[in-house]
Amino acid sequence: MARGETRAERIYANLRGDILTGRLLPGQRLPFADLGVRYSTSVGVLREALSRLVEQGLVLSEPQLGFRVTPVSEEDLRDLTSTRIDIETLCLRHAINHGDIAWESRVVASFHTLDRTPELATVQPRTVNEDWATAHAAFHAAVLEGCPSRRLRDIAASLRDASELYRRWSRHLGSEDTRDIAGEHRALRDAVLARDEDQAVAALTKHISYTTRALLDSAPAELMATSADA
Amino acid sequence: MARGETRAERIYANLRGDILTGRLLPGQRLPFADLGVRYSTSVGVLREALSRLVEQGLVLSEPQLGFRVTPVSEEDLRDLTSTRIDIETLCLRHAINHGDIAWESRVVASFHTLDRTPELATVQPRTVNEDWATAHAAFHAAVLEGCPSRRLRDIAASLRDASELYRRWSRHLGSEDTRDIAGEHRALRDAVLARDEDQAVAALTKHISYTTRALLDSAPAELMATSADA
DNA sequence: TGTCAATACATTTTCGAATCTCAGGGGGGA
DNA sequence: TCCCCCCTGAGATTCGAAAATGTATTGACA
């Protein structure tokens, strides 16, 4: 085991990744017996990791009944979206007002990476390319990193994580074929570089809303199905 | 043990309360041996409770070295204050725009309780009265409760918790004798009832800033001392 | 045949000992 | 005398079994 790293931390990171990438589905129960085999560790470590995820809102704990991945719901998606718009735009305004040249450079660099990464997996169509998902997260993180408040950045980041759960499903629906995601990112980047606060906020708001709308318009049924999936 | 409640949850709540009320001091180390005696429980349960508090930002974990109460610092206080102003005012605007009559009533009621509770303990001067602290938290919670977004409310609440750590110290300094805290609360209540968004935001901003300013102006030395207190 | 209670099972929760890691002190070599 | 390495003790971490709890099944009674 690497120095200064406990097993509990590793398992925590593994679990978190498996939830965020959809290997563990929303609503799915998480019995200790199964997890113990999957991650080859003891109950104590698992409880510790799961407790942390509960506090993050990614896992739900029902006393004496065990843990489960937080289910998705239409109502939560609406709440999450409006909160993200509120807080990410707040963060964005701070970033535009306080970010330095190094920050601008990181925005440009991460946009370039994202722009050159294909969005869909080549081998398995209708599936998000993992590299693209990473680059996408990195671009948005870079934009918000210009905000000088550590706490505000952390909050924004945790909200973005929560919405990863939902983003995973939007591509399956195929209702986004007409959408120009790359263009939305470009608009955000340009407004940021021009230090145009209102323009940037508008671009980010649109970007966040579109994903949610695509989900809500086309597949409330499927949404419900995934959350009922016990 | 009460139905549907685990021991881990109770210990978590106890620990949290002890930190928030200052019975465990910022920066203080938390060895399992001591905690085991204090809360009469085993290591496993303690780890689970502490992990949750780490995720909340109230406790710090250093792998292989154990846990400690999160230290306070001038820089963190500044960051926390500005973030609170950003987010609590956001929450407040939503509350004023969406809160119903029941909400107004809760604001009025909790203000009354706060107004009639003496701020300082009678027996031990220069100490915050626990009842007042509770009423104070309840009043602010009531005001923000009008915000329809659960997530935004939760975020605002967790920020308020974090600043409890600091609020505890401000009374010891005695630099607030000229301040009319009750008047500040009254101004906030009145603006809320008048549904005057900007006025309410101004009142809340002033209220939050004052406590921080009192702390920063009068006692950076004492602040540092408490955090070095290992 | 339907309902209720008692029992058996599966799962979570808790514990205390065994294991491992880090920090400090003492001894040997340069 | 100074520096490096090993040894030791205090403490955190991990484990697996014991206890507690909730759920499903079976059988008896109305």
Side-chain angles (χ1 to χ4, degrees):
Chain A
M1 193 175 320
R3 177 195 158 92
E5 199 192 24
T6 68
R7 180 175 297 241
E9 276 185 290
R10 187 149 30 121
I11 304 299
Y12 161 77
N14 287 350
L15 262 168
R16 193 165 187 282
D18 285 349
I19 292 172
L20 256 33
T21 57
R23 279 190 288 272
L24 295 170
L25 297 175
Q28 185 176 346
R29 299 204 58 212
L30 301 169
F32 288 105
D34 295 4
L35 295 184
V37 174
R38 177 167 184 157
Y39 300 104
S40 53
T41 191
S42 69
V43 187
V45 171
L46 285 170
R47 284 194 72 84
E48 189 175 331
L50 287 169
S51 297
R52 292 178 63 180
L53 291 167
V54 167
E55 216 57 29
Q56 281 209 308
L58 290 174
V59 165
L60 219 64
S61 157
E62 293 155 308
Q64 321 292 8
L65 292 177
F67 296 83
R68 64 172 64 210
V69 182
T70 301
V72 297
S73 79
E74 188 177 325
E75 186 199 347
D76 178 58
L77 177 55
R78 286 184 199 278
D79 188 15
L80 176 58
T81 304
S82 91
T83 306
R84 275 184 61 202
I85 290 174
D86 279 347
I87 289 184
E88 286 192 39
T89 58
L90 191 60
C91 217
L92 178 60
R93 284 186 194 277
H94 284 302
I96 289 177
N97 287 324
H98 298 286
D100 55 12
I101 307 293
W103 165 65
E104 283 187 9
S105 310
R106 286 196 300 273
V107 170
V108 171
S110 58
F111 173 82
H112 183 78
T113 305
L114 175 59
D115 201 41
R116 296 301 168 94
T117 307
E119 185 182 353
L120 299 182
T122 46
V123 281
Q124 204 179 2
R126 289 192 124 29
T127 309
V128 184
N129 177 6
E130 275 311 317
D131 289 343
W132 184 85
T134 306
H136 185 239
F139 170 66
H140 281 284
V143 169
L144 298 180
E145 249 166 41
C147 172
S149 165
R150 190 188 54 74
R151 279 176 192 268
L152 206 50
R153 274 184 278 129
D154 288 350
I155 292 169
S158 91
L159 290 173
R160 290 198 64 80
D161 280 344
S163 59
E164 268 300 316
L165 287 179
Y166 290 94
R167 205 187 333 271
R168 291 282 152 183
W169 309 109
S170 81
R171 260 301 164 186
H172 292 288
L173 311 176
S175 73
E176 292 199 308
D177 298 336
T178 59
R179 190 175 158 200
D180 178 18
I181 298 189
E184 292 171 29
H185 289 138
R186 189 183 311 276
L188 177 57
R189 181 204 60 176
D190 292 342
V192 160
L193 294 183
R195 304 270 175 171
D196 186 334
E197 233 185 89
D198 293 335
Q199 195 78 37
V201 165
L204 181 56
T205 302
K206 241 165 90 173
H207 182 58
I208 295 175
S209 306
Y210 276 175
T211 306
T212 299
R213 184 156 311 277
L215 261 169
L216 288 177
D217 283 354
S218 60
E222 175 159 349
L223 244 183
M224 292 305 137
T226 60
S227 94
D229 193 68
Chain B
M1 194 173 319
R3 177 197 156 90
E5 199 193 24
T6 67
R7 179 175 296 245
E9 276 185 289
R10 187 151 29 120
I11 305 298
Y12 160 78
N14 287 350
L15 262 167
R16 193 164 187 282
D18 285 350
I19 292 173
L20 256 34
T21 57
R23 279 189 289 275
L24 294 170
L25 297 175
Q28 186 177 345
R29 299 204 58 208
L30 302 169
F32 288 105
D34 296 2
L35 295 183
V37 174
R38 176 167 187 158
Y39 300 104
S40 54
T41 192
S42 68
V43 188
V45 170
L46 285 169
R47 285 193 71 83
E48 189 175 330
L50 288 169
S51 297
R52 292 178 63 179
L53 291 167
V54 166
E55 216 58 27
Q56 281 210 314
L58 290 175
V59 165
L60 220 65
S61 156
E62 295 154 306
Q64 319 293 5
L65 291 178
F67 296 81
R68 64 172 66 209
V69 181
T70 301
V72 296
S73 78
E74 188 177 323
E75 186 199 348
D76 179 58
L77 176 56
R78 286 185 199 278
D79 187 17
L80 176 58
T81 303
S82 90
T83 306
R84 275 184 61 202
I85 291 175
D86 279 347
I87 289 183
E88 287 192 41
T89 58
L90 190 60
C91 217
L92 178 60
R93 284 185 194 277
H94 284 302
I96 289 178
N97 288 324
H98 299 283
D100 56 11
I101 308 293
W103 165 65
E104 283 185 9
S105 311
R106 286 196 300 273
V107 170
V108 172
S110 59
F111 173 81
H112 183 78
T113 305
L114 175 58
D115 202 40
R116 295 303 167 92
T117 306
E119 186 182 352
L120 298 183
T122 45
V123 281
Q124 204 181 1
R126 287 193 124 31
T127 309
V128 183
N129 177 6
E130 274 310 317
D131 289 343
W132 184 85
T134 305
H136 184 240
F139 170 67
H140 281 283
V143 169
L144 298 180
E145 248 166 41
C147 171
S149 166
R150 190 188 53 74
R151 281 176 191 268
L152 206 50
R153 273 184 279 129
D154 288 350
I155 292 169
S158 90
L159 290 173
R160 290 198 65 80
D161 281 344
S163 59
E164 269 300 315
L165 287 179
Y166 290 94
R167 205 184 337 270
R168 290 283 152 183
W169 309 111
S170 80
R171 260 302 163 186
H172 291 289
L173 312 176
S175 71
E176 292 198 308
D177 298 334
T178 60
R179 189 175 158 199
D180 177 18
I181 298 189
E184 290 170 31
H185 290 138
R186 189 182 310 275
L188 177 57
R189 182 203 61 174
D190 292 342
V192 160
L193 294 182
R195 303 268 177 174
D196 186 335
E197 230 184 274
D198 294 335
Q199 196 80 35
V201 165
L204 182 56
T205 302
K206 240 165 91 174
H207 182 57
I208 296 175
S209 307
Y210 277 176
T211 307
T212 299
R213 184 155 310 278
L215 262 169
L216 287 178
D217 283 354
S218 60
E222 177 160 345
L223 246 182
M224 292 307 138
T226 61
S227 94
D229 194 67

